[in-house]
Amino acid sequence: MTKVFNEPTFRDGVNLMVDRAIAVMGLDEGVAKAIKSCNAVLQVQFPVKIRDKIEVFTGWRATHSTHRLPSKGGIRYAPYADQNEVEALAALMTYKCAIVDVPFGGSKGALLIDPSQYSRDELELITRRFTLELIRKGFLSPSTNVPAPDIGTGQREMAWMADTYKHLHPDDINYVACVTGKPIHHGGIQGRVEATGRGVQYAIQEFFRHADDVKEANLSGSLEGKTCVIQGFGNVGYHAAKFLSEEDGVKITAIIEYNGALINDDGIDIEQLRQHIDEHGGVETFTCAHFVEDGHAVLEKECDILIPAALESQITMENASQINAKLIVEAANGPITFGADEILAKKGVIIIPDAYANAGGVTVSYFEWIRNISHIRFGRMQRRHDEMRGAEMTRVIEEATGRHVSDQIRHSISRGADELDLVRSGLDDTMRLAYQEIRATRENNDNIKDLRTAVYVTAIEKISRSYLEVGVY
Ligand code: NAD
């Protein structure tokens, strides 16, 4: 990880950004304090016998807020995790849920582990043991605290967690809703794996629908042909790169990974790169782009859009002034430090902040949770009905006009929406509305200069309303 010199910790950085928002909205000091404080943090240490030796693992789960339940947030497996980071990420989840109107509190968890050092069976053992700790201490259940995937975890880990919960609570009819991001055949939802990257795409599309915002970033026109550098080619970075390049004509000119970066000013073929990594395990030997070892320096490459999608604290006071992007979209959580944020603002770089930009994941997790507690797949009741109405409509058109409707039009009119269509539509709508709300907040308050402050003001207004309506007890 990049060393951060003389800068606040991640958690303090988030709080400083929140303080900036609280100052412009003149919020009551007590309410502000209640919103900012982290409700509970659990640290667990547990032994697991690995290769005939006992190893002790450390994990955390922080619940930042419980004004809405369950509290929601990912669990990461990383060799650098710590409590400060978990608390910062849990706080971000509170603001993120409020921004996209997901009725959940904020939470986050981490296990201090390098997953690459363990076999699949060992990881299953460790995950099940960690899950047991979280359940026993009241930090995992469908109604109070619901984890999801994050760095180093995915569908597999979520399936192990759900199964562990089921064995401990066989009488809980909603057991499958205790985690989200599960495999489809274990209660997952179509479109969850791609959701955060898809949400990043929808956020950028919405930004480009507002000509004034595009102009403020010293850009013009549509997304077509814009150059883009992406840091991190994991779940979020890969999907964002794929959708932006394949569907919006964005040119991905660099992909930065932990051990170096690939550069191709004509645009990197994302699927070709994905296949190469699957076959060869890394980016170094990919021949359709130029490989450079100092990947971190590539963050400074000139581009229209920079998407950090790897880790926190990647753009710091050390490199912020060298950044050559017009628009930065925070797909990762906390990739820009508080100090760097101020430097970039002075440079006129526009930042679409994490609490909004990467909210696609929690939005679709919310859809998955609803699907789980309602015990029915979206679209199951109405799909065929919609198809019948569509077929009837084409028949009426043909009768009224005396002309034959082509098979292509007939198909598009009569096709009923399946679950993936509905998830994408719900996510697109959520990302559009949230951006419009953030924009309106900024327009209505002359003291709000940047999108990040507008995001926090919008979120805090909603959270404080909920605190004041319910009362503090
Ligand atoms: P991931 O583990 O799938 O991918 C992370 C990628 O970053 C990996 O390819 C890894 O090799 C790369 N990486 C690690 N260190 C790096 C470095 N120093 N420089 C460049 N690349 C590096 O994780 P993810 O789920 O894609 O999460 C990425 C970010 O997005 C995190 O900040 C996470 O909190 C955030 N996020 C994820 C989700 C989600 O649904 N997965 C939702 C919201 C936010």
Side-chain angles (χ1 to χ4, degrees):
M1 258 188 89
T2 316
K3 278 226 162 70
V4 182
F5 297 101
N6 301 321
E7 294 203 54
T9 63
F10 187 10
R11 186 185 53 204
D12 293 344
V14 170
N15 279 335
L16 283 167
M17 290 172 184
V18 171
D19 285 342
R20 209 165 50 189
I22 287 170
V24 298
M25 56 194 294
L27 188 70
D28 174 86
E29 215 176 287
V31 177
K33 219 170 165 183
I35 290 174
K36 274 171 58 185
S37 54
C38 184
N39 176 254
V41 193
L42 170 75
Q43 178 182 330
V44 291
Q45 291 189 308
F46 56 90
V48 183
K49 201 168 185 185
I50 306 274
R51 288 163 237 167
D52 284 333
K53 269 184 154 171
I54 290 176
E55 277 191 51
V56 176
F57 294 89
T58 305
W60 298 267
R61 184 86 181 152
T63 303
H64 179 259
S65 57
T66 56
H67 63 294
R68 299 258 191 274
L69 285 174
S71 299
K72 191 86 186 73
I75 287 194
R76 63 173 53 171
Y77 283 5
Y80 51 79
D82 63 30
Q83 185 172 325
N84 186 295
E85 177 190 82
V86 172
E87 284 187 36
L89 291 163
L92 274 176
M93 284 307 298
T94 295
Y95 306 115
K96 199 178 298 186
C97 290
I99 274 297
V100 287
D101 284 331
V102 164
F104 291 156
S107 186
K108 199 82 183 189
L111 186 65
L112 188 63
I113 187 173
D114 179 354
S116 68
Q117 300 306 306
Y118 298 89
S119 70
R120 181 207 167 278
D121 289 352
E122 288 164 354
L123 281 172
E124 179 175 350
L125 208 62
I126 298 162
T127 301
R128 285 184 182 275
R129 188 66 175 76
F130 184 32
T131 309
L132 209 64
E133 293 292 331
L134 295 176
I135 296 168
R136 278 190 187 143
K137 312 277 184 327
F139 278 74
L140 195 154
S141 92
S143 52
T144 58
N145 198 316
V146 179
D150 196 74
I151 294 176
T153 56
Q155 291 187 330
R156 187 181 68 173
E157 287 72 18
M158 297 306 116
W160 292 333
M161 286 183 176
D163 190 62
T164 308
Y165 181 87
K166 183 178 88 175
H167 281 104
L168 272 181
H169 296 279
D171 51 355
D172 185 344
I173 194 168
N174 291 321
Y175 78 88
V176 83
C178 73
V179 291
T180 59
K182 301 174 292 289
I184 301 292
H185 49 281
H186 284 293
I189 192 169
Q190 298 283 349
R192 174 58 184 91
V193 176
E194 64 168 47
T196 308
R198 184 62 84 180
V200 169
Q201 177 199 27
Y202 289 156
I204 300 174
Q205 284 178 349
E206 182 58 19
F207 177 86
F208 272 84
R209 284 190 193 102
H210 300 274
D212 290 351
D213 299 7
V214 175
K215 196 169 160 208
E216 194 187 355
N218 286 316
L219 290 163
S220 61
S222 71
L223 260 176
E224 177 83 35
K226 295 287 180 291
T227 56
C228 177
V229 170
I230 299 191
Q231 185 197 35
F233 200 63
N235 180 347
V236 180
Y238 159 66
H239 284 105
K242 177 179 168 67
F243 301 141
L244 287 167
S245 61
E246 290 177 1
E247 297 171 16
D248 296 308
V250 172
K251 233 194 270 180
I252 312 295
T253 51
I255 293 282
I256 308 169
E257 257 296 321
Y258 67 95
N259 58 343
L262 291 168
I263 299 175
N264 182 344
D265 287 336
D266 294 328
I268 296 169
D269 184 322
I270 297 305
E271 266 322 294
Q272 208 179 1
L273 176 59
R274 179 76 265 158
Q275 262 183 22
H276 178 88
I277 294 174
D278 290 347
E279 280 163 27
H280 303 94
V283 295
E284 318 76 284
T285 49
F286 186 65
T287 50
C288 300
H290 173 60
F291 178 73
V292 292
E293 262 179 33
D294 187 1
H296 199 65
V298 180
L299 284 169
E300 297 162 21
K301 181 175 164 56
E302 195 176 336
C303 61
D304 295 319
I305 308 167
L306 172 61
I307 306 183
L311 305 171
E312 53 266 22
S313 306
Q314 294 302 296
I315 302 176
T316 64
M317 290 176 82
E318 292 203 338
N319 62 353
S321 54
Q322 283 97 264
I323 295 295
N324 267 308
K326 297 186 172 96
L327 175 68
I328 303 180
V329 185
E330 292 185 320
N333 284 307
I336 300 176
T337 62
F338 179 73
D341 188 69
E342 300 207 313
I343 295 171
L344 291 164
K346 282 195 191 113
K347 266 169 71 98
V349 179
I350 302 297
I351 299 167
I352 302 185
D354 46 9
Y356 164 67
N358 68 36
V362 76
T363 302
V364 177
S365 275
Y366 170 47
F367 299 159
E368 180 176 332
W369 184 80
I370 293 172
R371 181 198 205 271
N372 293 155
I373 59 171
S374 54
H375 300 268
I376 189 164
R377 149 173 68 77
F378 290 114
R380 181 168 175 180
M381 303 286 276
Q382 70 267 39
R383 183 169 168 199
R384 300 297 168 203
H385 179 74
D386 290 348
E387 285 185 359
M388 264 159 31
R389 287 185 67 115
E392 185 62 14
M393 204 189 300
T394 28
R395 197 186 58 75
V396 170
I397 293 170
E398 280 181 333
E399 236 178 61
T401 61
R403 292 177 62 183
H404 175 70
V405 171
S406 74
D407 285 351
Q408 198 191 353
I409 294 177
R410 183 187 304 278
H411 178 73
S412 78
I413 292 177
S414 62
R415 185 177 164 275
D418 63 17
E419 187 171 78
L420 186 60
D421 294 322
L422 294 170
V423 164
R424 285 182 179 162
S425 150
L427 176 58
D428 193 8
D429 188 55
T430 302
M431 296 308 287
R432 287 184 199 219
L433 291 181
Y435 187 79
Q436 288 159 20
E437 209 174 359
I438 295 160
R439 244 186 135 248
T441 302
R442 192 174 169 214
E443 272 179 9
N444 293 335
N445 186 331
D446 291 340
N447 294 322
I448 302 177
K449 307 286 178 226
D450 60 323
L451 285 172
R452 193 187 306 279
T453 306
V455 161
Y456 281 125
V457 169
T458 311
I460 292 165
E461 268 170 4
K462 293 183 193 179
I463 301 163
S464 61
R465 217 177 299 139
S466 144
Y467 270 68
L468 292 171
E469 277 164 10
V470 177
V472 177
Y473 63 94

